[in-house]
Amino acid sequence: MRLKLLLIVVVAVLMSAVLVIYRRNLNSKGIALDSCLAQLTNQKPVKIEYPKPNVKDLIMEKSVSGGRFAAYKLSGDSRDDLYYGVFAVVLEAGSYQPTIFSTKTPAYTEDGLFDIVNNELWVVNSQMSRIDIYTFHTEKREPNVTNLSSITYKRSVSLPKYRLGELYHLSCSAGICDVFTAYHLESGCQMKLNVKTEVFSNIVCSSMGGSFIPKPL
């Protein structure tokens, strides 16, 4: 009786080992075990639907020598999305196209997420309440081909020390940037940023009830 029980245990162990080896062999060959088992039992394999990656959604663009800077939305407008509010700025010039990631709120206008000031890229960073500044250079390898030479984080300009809401827009021209923030859709602030001195001025906040002075942090 003991010998019979011992034989049963040995057979069970051997069968488990064979199954493990068989499973590893299938995985090494990229074969789905569920499909093989389904064939052995004359059942149709279950088709598993995986979520598709988010398709690039162009938000805005600005031309540069030999290409353009383009901002893309990484996700939809659902707050449950892992990348809600994250956008990518890509320098599309030549074959090497680096990407910068930053944050914004989809509830506000998205036509001023970045701007180009001389050879610098100024990008809205709403999560950190600042403007991130990068340097970039392009160079011509051939008469009609422009490639990226370098792009590097340089510095950041933080918003003034007031409760200004969320940064969502900047647009620059003639050495001055117009910067906009919002508390919600009905109220927010507007100010000027001097490109040379990087100093803010003319802060004006308003809501449906009229103008108001922002509180210090």
Side-chain angles (χ1 to χ4, degrees):
M1 185 67 181
R2 291 182 179 178
L3 180 60
K4 186 176 181 180
L5 181 61
L6 180 61
L7 288 174
I8 293 174
V9 173
V10 172
V11 171
V13 172
L14 289 175
M15 289 182 65
S16 298
V18 169
L19 181 59
V20 170
I21 296 171
Y22 181 62
R23 188 187 294 268
R24 289 178 178 175
N25 188 41
L26 290 175
N27 290 337
S28 66
K29 296 180 179 179
I31 301 174
L33 181 60
D34 293 339
S35 297
C36 293
L37 292 177
Q39 293 177 9
L40 293 174
T41 56
N42 295 323
Q43 295 179 0
K44 293 183 178 180
V46 178
K47 185 177 181 181
I48 302 175
E49 296 290 342
Y50 294 98
K52 295 180 180 180
N54 293 318
V55 179
K56 280 186 176 181
D57 186 4
L58 179 65
I59 303 173
M60 61 172 291
E61 61 182 334
K62 285 185 178 291
S63 298
V64 294
S65 176
R68 68 172 185 173
F69 274 106
Y72 293 97
K73 184 186 300 182
L74 294 191
S75 67
D77 294 334
S78 172
R79 290 184 179 273
D80 295 331
D81 197 302
L82 179 63
Y83 299 108
Y84 174 79
V86 180
F87 66 97
V89 181
V90 184
L91 176 52
E92 298 177 344
S95 57
Y96 173 58
Q97 300 181 357
T99 302
I100 296 166
F101 297 97
S102 194
T103 57
K104 48 96 177 171
T105 298
Y108 309 128
T109 59
E110 299 175 320
D111 58 345
L113 297 178
F114 69 87
D115 209 340
I116 299 169
V117 181
N118 301 321
N119 284 331
E120 294 179 337
L121 173 68
W122 292 38
V123 183
V124 164
N125 187 335
S126 63
Q127 185 178 35
M128 303 301 294
S129 296
R130 71 190 190 192
I131 299 168
D132 293 327
I133 301 173
Y134 301 82
T135 57
F136 69 94
H137 300 279
T138 57
E139 61 182 10
K140 287 191 174 182
R141 298 292 181 88
E142 300 175 16
N144 297 322
V145 178
T146 300
N147 284 323
L148 175 70
S149 175
S150 64
I151 184 166
T152 310
Y153 170 79
K154 189 174 183 180
R155 64 190 184 280
S156 295
V157 179
S158 298
L159 291 180
K161 301 298 182 180
Y162 295 96
R163 298 186 185 279
L164 299 171
E166 188 165 359
L167 172 64
Y168 71 91
H169 175 99
L170 74 94
S171 55
C172 306
S173 177
I176 298 294
C177 295
D178 290 313
V179 179
F180 294 84
T181 63
Y183 300 101
H184 48 74
L185 293 176
E186 287 78 25
S187 67
C189 303
Q190 177 179 352
M191 63 207 79
K192 302 288 186 181
L193 172 60
N194 188 300
V195 170
K196 186 175 182 179
T197 63
E198 298 183 0
V199 174
F200 290 91
S201 61
N202 299 340
I203 302 175
V204 178
C205 300
S206 61
S207 65
M208 296 182 67
S211 300
F212 61 93
I213 299 174
K215 295 180 180 180
L217 292 172

